[in-house]
């Protein structure tokens, strides 16, 4: 187990540098005129252009310029300095302010997914072809069919503005209640998938040989389902949830925008829109680490759920 | 068992928050009286900077307008009058004497003196400081020596302190409207406390700017969240009618609009286009419109052969039905334009482009044929600004009325469009917008159409126009200047390097908690007028 984790950690280092290189190259290649992008439609003065060009080495172009800027970035990164955004703010500060609220939102979405998705999935799996099963099937189909860009403003308008059940936006320092609506919206997509996954998995395991054995031994149904079936059915669900957690941590660009939550997705979107290369690369570098770690955790969890899985 | 434990963990905070919300509602309902103890909440975007000489976008200048008091402001006729200045005078339009009113103090207690203006402007003009608004100082003597990578001078030779409350500004060339410029954000003073050493801005200053205006900072700038200000009691000018302002930062206007609808936010400065059609029913008389300074045009690359004939440009202008587009596409949120300057500046005349502004398809077609206009027209625009609809509508009109082929080409961002235009790539006609820096005709003409103008992307070069503009700048008084600028505008009307399409409007709205919401010409909410309702 220990060797497995160590090996994975070493692989992560490689993966990290590989992805930052790719992201940096993409930003570099896609960059038009970041100084003008920052100014929008206002004219840019020569003084301002010269100042930013020198500060961010924007005059270094071509392959040589790329490697110069990339290694400059890496050197600072290894010293724990993520650099400055084009507006002069420290990217470390931006991320420190953005993470807590994104993590909170992700956890709420995750809780919604697990609480409703997995529970309903188990129930639907046990009562296959019942009214409950069919209606959840229909409902999940509906949710999966509506993109967040429709679902989020709709929920905001109906529940926030029309009926005033929730505050329409959450803001920068929201309480748990304000985050609930965006959390539910964000969680509803993974909820639908988790429900489907759990249902299929439970339904399949219920027909397995070991369940028949357990039943013929005279075990009560509750024990069969909660101890034997659930544990075996959760492996695909945990894989999905692990990847999903990484997704949620990367910030939901649309949901955070609609509910005005200045989290990671919100900043990433701004960075892309204003061609703020340092900001985008900084956020993505941290996101890569989040993904790698959450994948590692999922792999370790397999061994806990299924003792047959051994890591060397 | 695990499921049950999870359920308790989520049920508990849910119950608590539901209880909290129950306490929160209630206590609403206004009696209609003004409440001087309440704070109002105004929507802005994250400011790029909060240093006077570095702030040139509306969000930042909205915050600075609370913290600072300008030397001059503008009256109903858009002419400047003194606010923090006692008088701004000049004999020859070249050497200007600025006398300050006594009694102004910075929020940290410092007296406002002439030094504060001189220091702030020197800092703004010095090129290595990279200030966004440095070009506002280019008319002051000594500016040239402060440019480049290793400037010769660190201060403007044109700025001289006379006594504690008086300083003189010498311009490199006479400029009759210098007083009008002084209302802009870049000309605010900065206290001694702003500088850690002479000419070096203290790093912490931007996080909590100290000004001499009606409000002072409450805490620091909460990035991406809010900037809070509260009333400054020692302010000698006209006192605001609210106790403070929370500038709440939004990335998307739709989110701010939802908050205004449910009274979670008091003022939204720009109602998003997709909500404009319903804003009237949503907000009733709380949906407001006021003139803004912006002007939308279609520009010609006049250096290209097919567009070098003014008759071609005139024919295209005549083939566009401006009224129809502003009505059906913009739902009257903008106004049709037929002049090169906005109605918000002194000297504006309606319909200066004359016949070219009349929608006359038959005449346009024959004129276009006779002048030999190109058989295919391309309209380039930036795809991120909601321009597709009107560009497509314009294209359809050109197709129908001129019998040409027309396509709209979207560039991802305005920056990408400018890059191509500057490189003189054939992009066809391209859209441009202009928002004034200060309310003067010169600001609509000089930067855009003079042969060395900073935003003259059309290759327009007319010595007569340049000459009239220079005469206007050195005219004896403002009325004389306006006459010269109007003559210059008439030259433009003959040449049509761009065709004016629409004037902008502020389309703003407010909650039931506030009244007297007004917007000024710089897209800022008037913070002295706004009142909270009890």
């Amino acid at each position: 187990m220990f060797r497995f984790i160590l090996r994975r950690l070493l692989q992560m280092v490689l993966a990290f540098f590989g992805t930052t290189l790719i992201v940096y190259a993409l930003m570099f290649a896609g960059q038009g005129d970041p100084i003008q992008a920052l100014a929008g439609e206002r004219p840019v003065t020569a003084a301002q252009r010269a100042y930013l060009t020198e500060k961010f080495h924007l005059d270094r172009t071509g392959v040589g310029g790329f490697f110069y800027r990339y290694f400059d970035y890496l050197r600072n990164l290894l010293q724990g300095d993520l650099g400055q955004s084009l507006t002069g703010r420290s990217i470390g500060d931006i991320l420190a302010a953005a993470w807590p609220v994104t993590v909170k939102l992700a956890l709420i979405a995750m809780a919604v997914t697990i609480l409703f998705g997995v529970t309903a999935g188990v129930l639907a799996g046990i009562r296959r072809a019942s009214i409950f099963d069919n209606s959840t099937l229909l409902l999940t189909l509906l949710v999966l069919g509506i993109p967040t860009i429709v679902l989020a403003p709709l929920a905001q308008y109906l529940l926030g503005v029309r009926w005033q059940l929730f505050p329409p936006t959450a803001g920068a320092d929201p309480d748990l209640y304000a985050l609930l609506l965006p959390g539910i919206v964000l969680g509803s997509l993974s909820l639908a998938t988790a429900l489907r996954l759990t249902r299929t998995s439970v339904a399949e395991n219920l027909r397995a040989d070991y369940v028949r054995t357990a039943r013929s031994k005279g075990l009560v149904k509750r024990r069969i389902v909660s101890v034997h079936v659930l544990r075996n059915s959760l492996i695909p669900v945990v894989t999905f949830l692990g990847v999903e957690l990484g997704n949620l941590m990367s910030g939901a660009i649309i949901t955070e925008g609609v509910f005005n939550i200045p989290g990671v997705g919100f900043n990433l979107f701004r960075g892309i829109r204003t061609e703020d290369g340092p900001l985008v690369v900084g956020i993505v570098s941290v996101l890569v680490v989040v993904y790698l770690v959450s994948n590692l955790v999922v792999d370790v969890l397999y061994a806990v759920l299924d003792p047959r899985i051994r890591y060397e | 068992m695990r499921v049950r434990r999870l359920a308790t963990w989520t049920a508990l905070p849910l119950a608590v928050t539901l209880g909290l919300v129950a306490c929160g509602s209630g206590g609403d309902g206004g009696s209609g009286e003004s409440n001087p103890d309440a704070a109002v909440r105004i929507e802005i975007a994250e400011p790029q900077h909060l240093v006077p000489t570095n702030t040139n976008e509306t969000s930042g200048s909205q915050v600075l307008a609370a913290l600072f008091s300008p030397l001059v402001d503008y009256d109903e006729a858009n002419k400047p009058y003194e606010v923090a200045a006692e008088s701004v005078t000049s004999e020859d339009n070249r050497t200007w004497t600025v006398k300050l009113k006594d009694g102004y103090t910075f929020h940290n207690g410092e007296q406002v003196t002439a030094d504060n203006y001189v220091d702030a402007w020197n800092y703004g003009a010095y090129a290595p400081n990279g200030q966004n608004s440095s070009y506002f100082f280019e008319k002051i003597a000594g500016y040239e020596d402060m440019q480049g990578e290793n400037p010769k001078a660190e201060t403007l030779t044109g700025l001289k302190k006379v006594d504690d409350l008086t300083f003189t500004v010498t311009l490199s060339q006479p400029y009759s409207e210098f007083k009008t410029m002084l209302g802009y954000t870049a000309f605010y003073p900065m206290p001694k406390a702003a500088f850690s050493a002479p000419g070096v801005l203290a790093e912490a200053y931007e996080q909590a700017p100290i000004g001499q205006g009606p409000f002072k900072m409450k805490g620091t700038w909460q990035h991406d969240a809010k900037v809070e200000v509260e009333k400054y009691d020692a302010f000698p000018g006209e006192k605001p009618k609210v106790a403070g302002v929370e500038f709440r930062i939004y990335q998307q206007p739709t989110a701010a609009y939802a908050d205004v609808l449910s009274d979670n936010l008091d003022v939204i400065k720009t109602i998003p286009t997709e909500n404009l059609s319903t804003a009237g029913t949503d907000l009733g008389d709380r949906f407001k419109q006021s003139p803004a300074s912006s002007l939308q045009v279609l520009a010609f690359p006049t250096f290209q052969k097919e567009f070098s004939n003014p008759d071609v440009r005139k024919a295209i202008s005549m083939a566009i039905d401006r009224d129809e587009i502003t009505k059906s596409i913009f739902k009257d949120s903008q106004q049709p334009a037929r002049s090169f300057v906005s109605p918000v500046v002194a000297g504006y005349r309606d319909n200066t482009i004359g016949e070219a502004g009349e929608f006359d398809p038959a005449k346009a077609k024959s004129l276009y044929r006779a002048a030999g206009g190109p058989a295919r027209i391309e309209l380039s625009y930036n795809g991120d600004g909601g321009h597709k609809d009107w560009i497509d509508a314009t294209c359809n009109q050109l197709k129908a009325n001129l019998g040409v082929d027309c396509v709209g080409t979207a560039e991802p961002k305005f920056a990408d469009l400018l890059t191509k235009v500057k490189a003189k790539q054939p992009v066809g006609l391209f859209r441009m917008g202009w928002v004034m820096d200060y309310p003067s005709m010169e600001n609509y003409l000089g930067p855009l159409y003079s042969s060395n103008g900073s935003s003259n992307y059309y290759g327009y070069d007319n010595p007569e126009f340049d000459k009239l503009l220079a005469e206007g700048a050195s005219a004896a008084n403002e009325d004389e200047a306006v006459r010269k600028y109007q003559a210059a505008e008439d030259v433009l009307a003959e040449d049509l390097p761009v065709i004016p399409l629409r004037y902008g409007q502020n389309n703003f709205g407010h909650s039931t908690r506030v009244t007297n919401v007004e917007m000024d010409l710089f897209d800022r909410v008037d913070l002295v007028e706004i009142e909270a309702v009890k």
Side-chain angles (χ1 to χ4, degrees):
Chain A
M1 189 69 157
F2 175 73
R3 280 187 55 188
F4 168 75
I5 294 178
L6 194 73
R7 201 167 63 226
R8 286 290 296 265
L9 285 175
L10 285 174
Q11 285 170 359
M12 272 161 71
V13 174
L14 273 182
F16 176 75
F17 284 115
T19 41
T20 49
L21 178 71
I22 293 171
V23 173
Y24 203 92
L26 284 174
M27 274 317 278
F28 187 88
Q31 207 161 48
D33 183 354
I35 301 176
Q36 183 65 52
L38 186 69
E41 298 189 13
R42 294 184 307 270
V44 182
T45 61
Q48 182 69 5
R49 186 171 283 280
Y51 173 78
L52 286 175
T53 302
E54 197 190 315
K55 187 169 168 185
F56 292 100
H57 309 293
L58 293 178
D59 49 348
R60 300 264 185 167
T61 50
V63 179
F66 168 71
F67 281 105
Y68 175 83
R69 278 159 71 178
Y70 178 65
F71 285 120
D72 190 49
Y73 175 75
L74 267 192
R75 198 168 51 240
N76 288 327
L77 190 67
L78 292 178
Q79 292 164 1
D81 179 11
L82 284 164
Q84 278 191 348
S85 75
L86 284 183
T87 50
R89 277 179 70 194
S90 148
I91 291 170
D93 287 353
I94 294 180
L95 280 177
W99 271 108
V101 66
T102 293
V103 169
K104 264 193 238 168
L105 187 63
L107 289 182
I108 291 180
M110 209 62 196
V112 169
T113 307
I114 293 172
L115 194 68
F116 296 106
V118 176
T119 319
V122 171
L123 287 180
I126 295 170
R127 300 183 196 149
R128 218 151 42 88
S130 67
I131 296 177
F132 180 80
D133 185 28
N134 283 328
S135 54
T136 48
L137 209 69
L138 203 72
L139 213 66
T140 50
L141 202 68
L142 197 71
V143 171
L144 283 173
I146 304 176
T148 325
I149 201 152
V150 176
L151 191 65
L154 200 69
Q156 181 186 48
Y157 180 70
L158 289 180
L159 298 171
V161 177
R162 212 21 138 30
W163 300 319
Q164 312 239 340
L165 294 174
F166 296 90
T169 62
D173 190 19
D175 52 23
L176 191 62
Y177 189 67
L179 278 179
L180 210 54
L181 184 59
I184 291 172
V185 168
L186 193 57
S188 64
L189 270 185
S190 31
L191 184 152
T193 317
L195 194 151
R196 289 283 184 93
L197 222 62
T198 317
R199 177 195 169 272
T200 319
S201 186
V202 166
E204 208 169 89
N205 274 315
L206 274 177
R207 278 178 293 184
D209 291 344
Y210 70 89
V211 174
R212 203 168 5 146
T213 315
R215 208 176 281 145
S216 54
K217 270 199 316 188
L219 280 182
V220 279
K221 194 175 178 194
R222 219 181 65 208
R223 191 168 164 77
I224 299 175
V225 172
S226 64
V227 176
H228 298 286
V229 174
L230 197 58
R231 186 169 175 171
N232 281 304
S233 311
L234 278 184
I235 294 177
V237 181
V238 164
T239 318
F240 167 71
L241 291 181
V243 176
E244 203 60 12
L245 188 67
N247 268 334
L248 292 174
M249 291 290 181
S250 68
I253 290 184
I254 296 168
T255 312
E256 288 187 356
V258 168
F259 293 99
N260 199 39
I261 303 167
V264 175
F266 187 97
N267 277 294
L268 190 59
F269 179 62
R270 174 169 54 201
I272 293 169
R273 202 186 45 187
T274 56
E275 291 188 23
D276 199 330
L279 183 60
V280 173
V281 180
I283 292 177
V284 174
S285 308
V286 180
L287 286 182
V288 168
V289 175
V290 170
Y291 263 94
L292 292 172
V293 171
S294 64
N295 267 315
L296 179 63
V297 172
V298 168
D299 285 350
V300 172
L301 268 184
Y302 282 161
V304 178
L305 285 171
D306 188 346
R308 284 171 303 183
I309 298 174
R310 289 265 178 275
Y311 292 118
E312 287 310 323
Chain B
M1 202 186 80
R2 174 166 296 170
V3 171
R4 199 180 308 151
R5 198 187 296 156
L6 252 177
T8 26
W9 274 114
T10 40
L12 193 71
L14 238 176
V16 173
T17 41
L18 277 171
L20 281 179
V21 167
C23 302
S25 60
D28 281 350
S31 64
E33 272 173 57
S34 174
N35 179 4
D37 302 323
V40 294
R41 302 156 300 179
I42 295 174
E43 165 251 352
I44 56 170
E46 165 85 357
Q48 288 185 359
H49 292 284
L50 284 184
V51 171
T53 49
N54 210 6
T55 299
N56 63 351
E57 35 78 40
T58 50
S59 296
S61 71
Q62 171 76 68
V63 175
L64 292 183
L67 300 172
F68 290 87
S69 181
L71 284 170
V72 301
D73 206 344
Y74 308 98
D75 62 16
E76 307 271 291
N78 302 314
K79 298 228 168 148
Y81 67 92
E82 287 81 358
V83 179
E86 181 72 47
S87 67
V88 181
T89 51
S90 175
E91 299 281 304
D92 55 359
N93 284 335
R94 184 144 183 243
T95 305
W96 291 78
T97 307
V98 181
K99 277 200 171 61
L100 302 173
K101 277 191 186 133
D102 202 1
Y104 275 82
T105 52
F106 283 106
H107 304 147
N108 61 353
E110 274 181 47
Q111 288 287 332
V112 180
T113 66
D115 283 328
N116 299 125
Y117 285 90
V118 174
D119 290 349
W121 298 5
N122 278 331
Y123 178 81
Y126 188 56
N129 292 333
Q131 299 292 291
N132 276 316
S133 298
S134 60
Y135 64 99
F136 278 92
F137 306 103
E138 69 190 3
K139 292 193 163 68
I140 301 175
Y143 178 82
E144 288 306 317
D145 288 343
M146 294 172 76
Q147 304 310 302
E149 267 185 46
N150 297 302
K152 281 181 264 174
E154 286 189 17
T155 53
L156 293 158
T157 53
L159 292 181
K160 289 236 162 51
K161 178 187 175 184
V162 178
D163 59 48
D164 264 0
L165 291 177
T166 318
F167 63 101
T168 58
V169 187
T170 309
L171 307 180
S172 45
Q173 264 161 30
Y175 182 55
S176 52
E177 288 182 297
F178 183 66
K179 186 176 168 184
T180 309
M181 287 183 73
L182 294 178
Y184 193 70
T185 315
F187 294 99
Y188 292 141
M190 283 198 275
K192 295 265 180 252
F195 299 96
S196 52
V200 183
L201 199 69
E203 225 166 88
Y205 179 73
E206 190 170 19
Q207 303 310 315
I210 301 166
Q212 29 72 287
F215 295 94
K216 63 180 177 187
M217 286 293 288
K218 185 176 170 187
T220 55
W221 175 7
Q222 313 274 309
H223 287 277
D224 293 330
K226 62 187 174 184
V227 184
E228 276 188 287
V229 299
E230 58 189 350
K231 201 150 107 180
Y232 176 53
D233 291 323
F235 181 65
E238 194 184 343
K239 298 251 189 324
K241 301 174 181 74
V242 290
V245 184
E246 177 191 337
F247 297 105
R248 204 181 288 168
I249 295 167
Y250 287 84
Q251 175 144 295
Q252 290 190 359
T254 43
Y257 187 69
D259 268 349
V260 167
L261 286 185
S262 44
D263 274 0
N264 272 326
L265 174 78
D266 292 326
V267 185
I268 176 170
K269 298 203 294 177
T270 310
I271 291 178
T273 325
E274 57 262 48
N275 296 109
L276 272 176
S277 51
T278 58
T281 38
D282 288 347
L283 293 168
D285 58 358
R286 291 180 285 125
F287 168 51
K288 300 264 170 70
Q289 293 185 314
S290 74
S293 73
S294 69
L295 174 67
Q296 293 286 339
V297 302
L298 265 182
F300 293 95
T302 57
F303 45 83
Q304 275 179 32
K305 201 166 150 277
E306 59 260 53
F307 297 117
S308 59
N309 184 348
D311 278 346
V312 172
R313 313 202 281 255
K314 188 176 169 188
I316 291 177
S317 175
M318 289 171 75
I320 298 173
D321 189 350
R322 292 168 174 73
D323 298 324
E324 176 60 31
I325 289 180
T326 37
K327 205 167 113 213
S328 57
I329 304 227
F330 289 94
K331 314 276 178 224
D332 293 324
S333 65
Q334 303 197 8
Q335 296 296 320
R338 292 184 173 85
S339 299
F340 291 92
V341 299
S342 159
V344 304
V345 298
Y348 159 81
R349 291 165 300 158
D350 193 17
N351 200 10
T352 51
I353 57 172
E355 197 188 18
E358 282 166 32
F359 176 59
D360 189 342
K363 203 163 176 195
K365 196 168 187 174
S366 59
L367 186 65
Y368 194 76
R369 288 266 165 80
R376 185 175 179 279
I377 294 178
E378 192 179 353
L379 304 183
S380 290
Y381 61 102
N382 49 314
D384 63 345
H387 297 293
K388 187 177 190 308
D389 289 348
W390 72 264
I391 288 279
D392 285 349
T394 310
C395 244
N396 286 335
Q397 290 185 349
L398 292 182
K399 269 187 211 161
N401 301 333
L402 294 179
V404 294
D405 187 18
C406 179
V407 286
T409 312
E411 297 290 335
K413 290 194 199 64
F414 191 71
D416 303 308
L417 179 58
L418 269 194
T419 309
K420 284 197 170 177
V421 169
K422 280 183 193 162
K424 305 210 166 181
Q425 290 179 23
V427 294
L429 276 72
F430 53 95
R431 74 152 282 271
M432 285 274 294
W434 185 250
V435 178
M436 68 174 188
D437 295 322
Y438 44 93
S440 154
M441 284 188 79
E442 189 269 342
N443 193 236
Y444 282 88
L445 303 175
L448 289 170
Y449 313 107
S450 65
S451 52
N452 56 358
S454 58
S455 299
N456 181 349
Y457 302 118
Y458 351 100
Y460 180 67
D461 185 356
N462 186 333
E464 195 193 343
F465 177 83
D466 287 357
K467 188 173 138 259
L468 282 166
L469 217 57
E471 284 173 10
S474 56
N477 56 48
E478 277 171 41
D479 294 336
E480 177 66 28
V482 161
R483 269 195 293 282
K484 291 289 182 193
Y485 292 143
Q486 287 178 340
E489 192 187 351
D490 291 339
V491 174
L492 279 187
E494 291 295 312
D495 291 345
L496 286 177
V498 307
I499 46 182
L501 293 178
R502 295 179 311 276
Y503 303 121
Q505 269 194 132
N506 295 316
N507 300 291
F508 59 105
H510 62 86
S511 72
T512 56
R513 290 179 69 253
V514 292
T515 56
N516 260 346
V517 184
E518 277 168 33
M519 299 269 288
D520 68 9
L521 300 178
F522 298 104
D523 303 345
R524 301 181 303 205
V525 176
D526 191 329
L527 300 170
V528 176
E529 291 297 324
I530 191 169
E531 287 179 51
V533 178
K534 238 176 211 162

